[in-house]
Amino acid sequence: MKKGIIAVVFCCILFFIFGCEDDTSMDNKNDNTTLKTESSMTTDNTKVLPKETMPDFENTGKEILIGVWGGIPVQCSILKNDEVETGKRNWSDEELLEQYRWMKDVGINLASCPIGYNNEEHNIRMLEAAQEVGIKQMLWDTALNSCLADASLTDEEAIMQARRLTSEYAEYDSYYGTMYTDEPNSKEFEEIARAYRRYKMLFPDKMFYVNMFPIYATSLQTGEETYKEYIEKYFEVTKMDYFCYDNYPLIRGKGTQTILTDNFLYNFYAVKEVNNEVPLWTFLQSMGFGNKKDPDCVEDFRIQINCSLSMGCDAIQWFCYYSPLYGGSEGFVPAIITLDGKKTEKYDFLKEAMQELHNLEKIYTSFKWVDVMTNYGSENAAKNNNAFNYFEITNTHERIDAMSSTYDFVMGVFKDEENRDGFMLTNYDIPSSKNVNHIVLNFNNTTQVLCYINGTKTEVNVVDGKIELDLNASDGAFIIPLNL
């Protein structure tokens, strides 16, 4: 009897052992298959990511468009004491070409037309100069715009007229598109939609350019109760395939201090919340006017660029490049180029910041913006930053275990086409600050990190997925954690 019982027990033990081995073997096969296709979870609920490969930015990235408001005018001003305009004179061909070489050298690759109406002859001169130096040119053709918007014309009639009006310049390789209007009220959207539709029927590969109001515009200006409704109606009515607006963030503080407006970051976020599928364009500040500070260091330019990248901006334009009239109701000061066609010191500041951006552009354009994260530094005892209060975000990411810093930072969350993670981190401190922000990021499933600080590839030590960065005021870092 005992022998029989022992035999039964022995058989049960063997069945249990071998049966469990078979089940475990099957589970392992399933786990291995899963790891090749999607992430899985470990016993401590840490997400396990599949192996990744080193990205090839040369074959995936592209150029970032950098434009301006205030192109080279028809005539150059004659100034007395560098301030008072006493007359105007025509540009020689070489002088105009030199102005375009300066644009190319400072990092501009999309020129605009001058502020106000410019004549047909100057349109051709700008197109030829842009083509010679290898940049693109946007035109403002009032006759073309009137034709496109004319409700009394059929589409066929409008397109026929538009074709005649553009026959002198449409074939230039440098011709990028037409500037239609600036900061329209929503009541103008039907007209814009009509002009846009017709223009695209004639020039499907050219840009029909409209610049919208910023988030601080009043409902009287936008025509809608909320800014969100303004954006939503813009896309619904016009069917435009991008969004462009201007928000100038640099405010004068004490002495030479620069203060950033609280709604600068949120303006990007507000557009992204409505539509993250289309390119986002913006204007940044390159001159002083009103209560806006005149940029006086490279940090003033860099902080604007890096914040824009953290918020997923696709194209940047500078207000202004060539100076508008000095003083007046807006209190304009000289921009990048003076009224008489000379470089200001801001030219060199902009050039340095733009070179950093162009160094990063192939990496940055290989990724698509997904979300944003923020972090309060240990020196921010109140754990409050007015620029961050607008965001409704989870502030978590499956790739990040923990993050800490001495001072505040904002970090855009990105994905590339092969599902790699990317993070654009900007030290969110006033540009004149002398503080160094010590940042610690703990990544999951990370054996190597690619890091580009202000566009320069920087080696960082990775210890169990942890990296440490020291960023100065205005610095930005694009970070790519890799599980190789």
Side-chain angles (χ1 to χ4, degrees), residues 289-291 325-332:
F289 58 96
N291 71 332
L325 291 175
Y326 302 151
S329 60
E330 296 279 6
F332 288 133

Side-chain angles (χ1 to χ4, degrees), residues 114-327:
I115 298 171
Y117 176 72
N118 53 284
N119 58 38
E120 294 178 9
E121 179 185 356
H122 192 59
N123 279 347
I124 300 299
R125 293 186 76 194
M126 289 189 297
L127 287 166
E128 289 179 344
Q131 191 149 308
E132 183 160 342
V133 302
I135 66 176
K136 299 296 183 181
Q137 176 73 51
M138 196 86 75
L139 298 180
W140 196 320
D141 187 329
T142 53
L144 171 64
N145 292 344
S146 296
C147 163
L148 294 171
D150 193 341
S152 69
L153 299 176
T154 65
D155 285 350
E156 290 75 13
E157 291 170 336
I159 291 169
M160 186 177 297
Q161 288 189 26
R163 184 175 287 111
R164 288 198 296 268
L165 290 168
T166 59
S167 62
E168 293 296 319
Y169 58 76
E171 298 305 314
Y172 279 89
D173 290 338
S174 55
Y175 175 52
Y176 192 80
T178 188
M179 304 176 76
Y180 184 78
T181 192
D182 183 43
E183 298 184 335
N185 183 280
S186 63
K187 293 181 176 63
E188 300 173 63
F189 287 174
E190 292 286 354
E191 175 193 299
I192 292 171
R194 179 168 54 252
Y196 171 66
R197 185 186 71 251
R198 290 171 172 178
Y199 184 80
K200 283 296 188 178
M201 292 171 70
L202 182 59
F203 298 115
D205 298 326
K206 303 297 183 183
M207 187 175 194
F208 181 85
Y209 183 89
V210 175
N211 181 58
M212 308 298 290
F213 276 114
I215 200 166
Y216 52 81
T218 66
S219 58
L220 185 63
Q221 290 173 305
T222 65
E224 301 297 322
E225 289 189 12
T226 68
Y227 191 65
K228 182 179 180 181
E229 290 173 328
Y230 178 64
I231 301 170
E232 289 174 336
K233 193 168 185 178
Y234 162 86
F235 284 115
E236 177 186 350
V237 175
T238 70
K239 312 298 182 187
M240 300 277 274
D241 55 1
Y242 68 95
F243 192 92
C244 178
Y245 71 94
D246 50 346
N247 187 329
Y248 306 115
L250 306 183
I251 304 294
R252 287 191 295 269
K254 295 180 180 179
T256 59
Q257 189 182 70
T258 301
I259 300 172
L260 298 173
T261 56
D262 293 339
N263 60 22
F264 178 57
L265 295 177
Y266 182 56
N267 211 145
F268 295 101
Y269 188 73
V271 180
K272 290 287 189 178
E273 275 193 307
V274 174
N275 192 338
N276 187 33
E277 299 305 313
V278 301
L280 176 58
W281 291 47
T282 195
F283 277 99
L284 299 179
Q285 181 181 337
S286 58
M287 60 178 287
F289 58 96
N291 71 332
K292 305 296 185 182
K293 182 201 171 190
D294 193 34
D296 59 6
C297 58
V298 67
E299 289 81 7
D300 282 345
F301 289 94
R302 183 186 292 130
I303 188 70
Q304 296 183 80
I305 293 171
N306 286 333
C307 282
S308 301
L309 298 183
S310 286
M311 299 308 299
C313 189
D314 297 285
I316 288 171
Q317 303 155 97
W318 293 100
F319 180 91
C320 284
Y321 178 74
Y322 199 97
S323 295
L325 291 175
Y326 302 151

